Amino acid sequence: MPPRVAVIVLVCDDYAERYLADCYAGLSRQTYPAARVRLLVVNNGGTTASRQVVARLAPGAEQLVTARNLGWAGGNNAAIRQALAEGADYCVLLNVDTTVEPEWLGRLVEAAAAHPELHILQSTLLLHGTDRLNSRGNRIHYLGYGFCEGYGEPEGSAGDRPGPVAFASGAAMLVKR
């Protein structure tokens, strides 16, 4: 039986109105078995109005409303705790301003299953509307700051293949239970 996956999308302020419809549309087209996926939209410090926006734009999603804005980590952690308590095998953090291809989740779960030694995996991220890389994983410069590997390079460039990274981008990453 395929693993249970919780896809967590965090929204705050006007981000739901600006981006959630496109993000949700891509998630609704996934070929991964829908019965094994739970979509949690975290309405970070949500108001009554923002709750209505999320319900309208993502009608099949479960909405988790926090009393105040907990930030990126706090909002995602609230959803991760809930997902794990309800038996999720994997939690996938996905930024609301991303769009995904229909095979995205299936390929990500396949990669996770094929690599039991890995506990966090990142999707390849393209700059919106282009065939250029945003990130194929993040690296740490010798001076200590992080940067996106492959930024601006064409998709499919010589270095665009799976491999270890220093840290994954929270824009689209899978974390194993």
Side-chain angles (χ1 to χ4, degrees), residues 17-41:
E17 191 72 58
R18 291 169 58 193
Y19 300 111
L20 186 56
D22 288 340
C23 183
Y24 182 73
L27 290 170
S28 297
R29 290 190 297 269
Q30 292 303 296
T31 58
Y32 193 78
R36 304 300 287 171
V37 178
R38 183 157 170 242
L39 175 57
L40 289 166
V41 175

Side-chain angles (χ1 to χ4, degrees), residues 14-174:
D14 67 341
Y15 274 69
E17 191 72 58
R18 291 169 58 193
Y19 300 111
L20 186 56
D22 288 340
C23 183
Y24 182 73
L27 290 170
S28 297
R29 290 190 297 269
Q30 292 303 296
T31 58
Y32 193 78
R36 304 300 287 171
V37 178
R38 183 157 170 242
L39 175 57
L40 289 166
V41 175
V42 180
N43 195 333
N44 214 1
T47 63
T48 301
S50 69
R51 289 178 191 150
Q52 293 169 344
V53 168
V54 170
R56 176 174 48 86
L57 297 176
E62 180 179 339
Q63 190 171 173
L64 173 62
V65 181
T66 62
R68 62 183 176 81
N69 186 336
L70 302 174
W72 185 87
N76 279 305
N77 281 335
I80 290 169
R81 279 191 294 275
Q82 181 173 325
L84 294 178
E86 295 172 359
D89 298 306
Y90 301 146
C91 291
V92 177
L93 308 183
L94 184 68
N95 278 5
V96 69
D97 61 350
T98 60
T99 57
V100 293
E101 297 171 352
E103 299 289 328
W104 165 76
L105 187 57
R107 287 191 306 231
L108 191 56
V109 170
E110 283 175 14
H115 295 281
E117 75 283 7
L118 300 178
H119 302 286
I120 298 175
L121 293 87
Q122 177 194 312
S123 298
T124 297
L125 301 168
L126 300 178
L127 293 166
H128 188 74
T130 75
D131 66 349
R132 300 282 175 172
L133 291 172
N134 177 307
S135 174
R136 64 171 165 248
N138 297 318
R139 303 283 181 210
I140 300 174
H141 189 272
Y142 71 91
L143 293 176
Y145 61 86
F147 65 95
C148 296
E149 180 72 28
Y151 185 85
E153 294 177 11
E155 180 182 18
S157 60
D160 189 20
R161 55 186 164 271
V165 298
F167 62 100
S169 171
M173 69 183 218
L174 177 146

